[in-house]
Amino acid sequence: MASLDNVLSNLDRNLDTSVERLKALLRIPSISTDPAFAADCRAAAEWLVADLLDLGFDASVRETAGHPMVIAHHTGAGADAPHVLFYGHYDVQPVDPVDLWDNAPFDPQIVTMPDGSKRITGRGSADDKGQLMTFVEACRAYIAETGTLPCRVTIFLEGEEESGSPSLIPFLEENREELSAGVALICDTNMWDRTTPAISTGLRGLVGEEVVVSAASMDLHSGYYGGAAANPIHILAKILAELHDEDGRVTLPGFYDAVRDLPADVREIWNNLGFSEQEFLGGVGLSIPAGEKGRSVLEQTWSRPTAEVNGIEGGYTGQGFKTVIPAQARAKVSFRLVFDQDPQVVRQTFREFVKARIPADCRVEFHEHGGSGAIQLPFDSPLLTVARKALSDEWPNPAVMIGMGGSIPVVGEFRKRLSMPSLLIGFGHGDDRIHSPNEKYEMTSFHHGQRSWARVLHALAQADVD
Amino acid sequence: MASLDNVLSNLDRNLDTSVERLKALLRIPSISTDPAFAADCRAAAEWLVADLLDLGFDASVRETAGHPMVIAHHTGAGADAPHVLFYGHYDVQPVDPVDLWDNAPFDPQIVTMPDGSKRITGRGSADDKGQLMTFVEACRAYIAETGTLPCRVTIFLEGEEESGSPSLIPFLEENREELSAGVALICDTNMWDRTTPAISTGLRGLVGEEVVVSAASMDLHSGYYGGAAANPIHILAKILAELHDEDGRVTLPGFYDAVRDLPADVREIWNNLGFSEQEFLGGVGLSIPAGEKGRSVLEQTWSRPTAEVNGIEGGYTGQGFKTVIPAQARAKVSFRLVFDQDPQVVRQTFREFVKARIPADCRVEFHEHGGSGAIQLPFDSPLLTVARKALSDEWPNPAVMIGMGGSIPVVGEFRKRLSMPSLLIGFGHGDDRIHSPNEKYEMTSFHHGQRSWARVLHALAQADVD
């Protein structure tokens, strides 16, 4: 344990310089969904490769049809040591509306709160640059103190996580052998609360679809044509309204066929987490659970599938008023999947559902925006036992096993294509405002996240599991 | 009838000189929306005043906060004669893209078509200088042949019709007495076809509303919150979907209370117009009437009220995909009104309809975007009977009564502020390309339009109606 203690002390000592490194990475506006920022995405990848080379990793930028990947290997632990793959993503969400940010999104600041706690501001601070750097810093300290790492480590960083990961599958297929390890460690999730670390054992899958409904061949004057001409906004609104029934259930045929009810013991664990629905919703200005009737909010967000409209647009949306019947209306719709729901089946069922509701003289087009199945890690996995212990040693409260409402497609792909399980350990918080203005990452997350990874690497090597 | 015959012959004899006068007016680039042409707008007003003074009218340019009005009175018919007000506008639309014009927009030409028909080219030739000059030329010939006019005539010409008429209402209020007459004659509409004159007896009213639905206090990640947090796009889509029932009827309570069914004889006339629904819809790429079931397209657009969503916006609408549950979603909704539907009642009913569908922890705001009632000239009005007869005497086919789906605000203002009904008689055609490059006015429209007004003035005086 002496070596681990040295590593932890090293992390404590060097916290300030690790923050400076994170700020440098946060200054790169690597927005993957907007082609205008392609060069910045590459710059972020190159920054990471340079840092990992500096640590002694065999690191390189790897080309794809989209934004590049970063791959880095450290084999100093020897061929018999457990092999772990760490996954993170260096790309970030767009920043609009930019005028709602208190600090510029790409000029990170350390802000001290009234209670004395510190946080790091900026787009990507929590999602996912701050989180991925906790692992890199743990490696840096381990190498500095012991000359090497306790496990064989592959670091795999993606640049398209926020834009549907179009290059991920071909890249995994082409580099299957290089990327296969005993377990994937993923740092893109939240703690349970400020003092309780969490391992996410369930992740919802995701299907993204864009629907474009077209009616007339041009925008029409609603005086001359109103009442006679099809209005694509009406058609679209009706379809979207019919996606849920009065009980908040999704109405796609067969949508719940592969959805299982929660085992009684897991439900028991969740009920004992002390989760407050009122606080969860109240934190964002709401008070009434809006989803499936008769389910708790944890069930709704962790173990039930959803359909959400993430964007809609049609007709005149500028200042003032224009009495137009538009030629087109469009919506972006996503489905969160659980258990064995098949993304392709859901996508196809949705398309049929929409097509059946399009008038004969109108048209519909679909654009695919990613799809991935849900993940469920067995509750009795030895990996889980080891990681829970390591985390529980670092934080005031023992680690809990939770579900996750979000989707991390890569977890499903690791399972499906590389037969590799994933351990989801993250240090984010529900109020980090990822995807929103004023994203931040707690300094405690950044600091104890680094220390947590040092403990996890040490524990995995000791237990010799992967 | 001798005097009318003389007037008509006079118009025939002097067609060429009337064309020269129109060309002189068309050469003045009176584009009201562009401040650079303010002096030209004034020049057009002054040109008209000079011409009307020359005819014996008591004419003057009248100042407003914007472009001036032209008012001219002719009282030679004596205090007992019917009093008519003629309304037109001397301002024109901008001309860009100017390189799409075959002839310069302000250098009018007489063009002979392959079939021998002639047309007058230029911006404003149809909208509205050519149309308004048909009335002025009818007055000129009448005065030349009989020494006076058969009715008391007030001519009221606006210079801001193409830029929202900002000065109209204050001007009507300040000059209510001077502008009040028995009936307003308005020449700014189309014939039914090349040989069939038309009187527009119905104009739909309009209510514009913007609805903003707010749920959470910030945009949320649909993974963490999806299934538990209210999505304002869902709420809005459901409300908009519920605005129409399965038969295409608007579901607002009491919406149809003030809507009357079309009299059988008017329905008969409309059925016999030879209107092709397939051509009307086919021209814009559609084929199936989308409105109220069991109503013809003419009924749907001329005599039935509608609710149309003119714009909708919410969530992420840029390139790619963002799995957000937005804090807000908004829609612009307009209602076309008919008969005695009250705009304020419709607005209030709509707001109640929406509010009743907003969850208790969400909010809605409304923004008002104008409202005006419908215009319906009674089908048995003596004015209408007299005008139909006069027009039917002039043209190869009898005059038809038609509806109009759009709104002409001045008609509503005349009714509301001056208690004055309007007769909408115009000689334009659907292919006149008003507001577009290569605007033109048919020589038959200009010539027989003049003769039509002579007949209408004569008939109104004979029948002693106004």
Side-chain angles (χ1 to χ4, degrees), chain B residues 276-303:
Chain B
S276 162
E277 300 194 346
Q278 287 311 309
E279 272 176 36
F280 176 76
L281 291 175
V284 295
L286 295 171
S287 60
I288 306 169
E292 273 185 275
K293 292 214 173 106
R295 308 272 176 188
S296 72
V297 165
L298 287 187
E299 263 191 284
Q300 287 176 341
T301 57
W302 288 356
S303 72

Side-chain angles (χ1 to χ4, degrees), chain A residues 112-419:
Chain A
T112 304
M113 303 304 288
D115 66 0
S117 70
K118 287 182 162 49
R119 49 179 57 175
I120 306 159
T121 69
R123 173 58 86 229
S125 55
D127 184 17
D128 183 42
K129 289 173 175 173
Q131 301 244 52
L132 78 85
M133 286 304 289
T134 58
F135 188 83
V136 174
E137 297 300 343
C139 292
R140 191 187 318 275
Y142 231 115
I143 293 167
E145 295 296 330
T146 72
T148 188
L149 291 169
C151 304
R152 283 180 291 156
V153 173
T154 296
I155 292 181
F156 172 41
L157 306 175
E158 186 188 359
E160 301 180 329
E161 200 272 347
E162 301 293 5
S163 52
S165 298
S167 308
L168 180 68
I169 292 171
F171 193 83
L172 290 183
E173 289 292 345
E174 280 163 30
N175 300 278
R176 193 180 310 190
E177 204 151 329
E178 186 178 356
L179 292 168
S180 292
V183 61
L185 305 175
I186 300 185
C187 192
D188 201 12
T189 51
N190 285 353
M191 296 178 58
W192 175 247
D193 60 27
R194 288 288 196 278
T195 50
T196 312
I199 304 175
S200 303
T201 55
L203 271 177
R204 290 196 290 192
L206 182 67
V207 165
E209 280 278 285
E210 186 161 4
V211 184
V212 184
V213 177
S214 302
S217 53
M218 65 190 85
D219 286 0
L220 304 176
H221 186 295
S222 78
Y224 296 125
Y225 287 92
N231 184 331
I233 303 179
H234 297 192
I235 297 165
L236 188 59
K238 194 153 181 300
I239 291 168
L240 299 178
E242 289 180 6
L243 257 184
H244 294 89
D245 69 14
E246 290 301 315
D247 294 327
R249 287 170 63 91
V250 177
T251 56
L252 295 189
F255 188 68
Y256 292 94
D257 287 358
V259 178
R260 291 198 297 279
D261 250 352
L262 208 56
D265 55 336
V266 178
R267 185 189 306 268
E268 174 78 11
I269 292 174
W270 291 3
N271 285 344
N272 290 334
L273 282 174
F275 174 80
S276 161
E277 300 195 346
Q278 287 312 312
E279 272 177 35
F280 177 75
L281 291 174
V284 296
L286 296 171
S287 61
I288 306 169
E292 270 185 278
K293 292 212 173 110
R295 307 271 176 187
S296 73
V297 165
L298 287 187
E299 263 193 283
Q300 287 177 343
T301 57
W302 287 356
S303 72
R304 300 298 297 177
T306 65
E308 293 285 347
V309 186
N310 303 114
I312 190 166
E313 189 178 34
Y316 182 70
T317 57
Q319 283 295 310
F321 212 90
K322 203 168 154 185
T323 51
V324 68
I325 299 178
Q328 281 195 342
R330 56 179 65 222
K332 297 184 202 262
V333 180
S334 64
F335 297 89
R336 298 279 167 181
L337 309 184
V338 297
F339 297 103
D340 298 317
Q341 283 184 300
D342 182 326
Q344 286 316 314
V345 170
V346 168
R347 187 187 306 285
Q348 206 47 48
T349 310
F350 173 64
R351 290 184 176 188
E352 295 306 323
F353 180 91
V354 172
K355 283 183 201 161
R357 287 160 176 79
I358 300 292
D361 61 346
C362 297
R363 299 168 308 293
V364 63
E365 271 174 57
F366 298 93
H367 301 283
E368 183 169 336
H369 286 280
S372 61
I375 296 298
Q376 191 65 49
L377 196 70
F379 290 104
D380 55 0
S381 154
L383 281 168
L384 199 50
T385 310
V386 167
R388 284 177 73 186
K389 168 80 169 62
L391 291 171
S392 301
D393 287 345
E394 175 63 23
W395 296 85
N397 294 328
V400 294
M401 295 178 296
I402 61 173
M404 258 196 71
S407 305
I408 304 189
V410 71
V411 178
E413 299 305 333
F414 283 165
R415 182 181 65 173
K416 179 170 163 189
R417 293 172 203 278
L418 310 183
S419 305

Side-chain angles (χ1 to χ4, degrees), chain B residues 178-201:
Chain B
E178 185 177 357
L179 292 168
S180 293
V183 61
L185 307 175
I186 300 184
C187 192
D188 200 13
T189 50
N190 286 352
M191 296 178 59
W192 176 249
D193 59 27
R194 286 290 197 276
T195 51
T196 312
I199 304 175
S200 303
T201 55

Side-chain angles (χ1 to χ4, degrees), chain B residues 198-220:
Chain B
I199 304 175
S200 303
T201 55
L203 276 174
R204 292 196 288 192
L206 183 66
V207 165
E209 279 280 284
E210 186 162 3
V211 185
V212 185
V213 177
S214 302
S217 53
M218 65 187 87
D219 286 0
L220 304 176

Side-chain angles (χ1 to χ4, degrees), chain B residues 13-34:
Chain B
R13 261 194 331 271
N14 292 300
L15 180 61
D16 288 351
T17 52
S18 74
V19 168
E20 288 311 310
R21 278 186 291 269
L22 174 56
K23 285 166 74 172
L25 180 57
L26 290 174
R27 286 190 196 102
I28 306 172
S30 47
I31 300 170
S32 60
T33 201
D34 186 341

Side-chain angles (χ1 to χ4, degrees), chain B residues 74-128:
Chain B
H74 198 288
T75 54
D80 293 337
H83 183 192
V84 301
L85 176 134
F86 178 85
Y87 166 89
H89 64 91
Y90 67 77
D91 64 319
V92 300
Q93 280 275 321
V95 297
D96 12 85
V98 73
D99 52 336
L100 294 187
W101 288 76
D102 295 332
N103 293 294
F106 296 113
D107 182 18
Q109 303 294 326
I110 307 302
V111 175
T112 304
M113 302 304 288
D115 67 359
S117 70
K118 287 182 161 52
R119 50 179 58 174
I120 305 158
T121 69
R123 173 57 85 228
S125 55
D127 182 21
D128 183 46

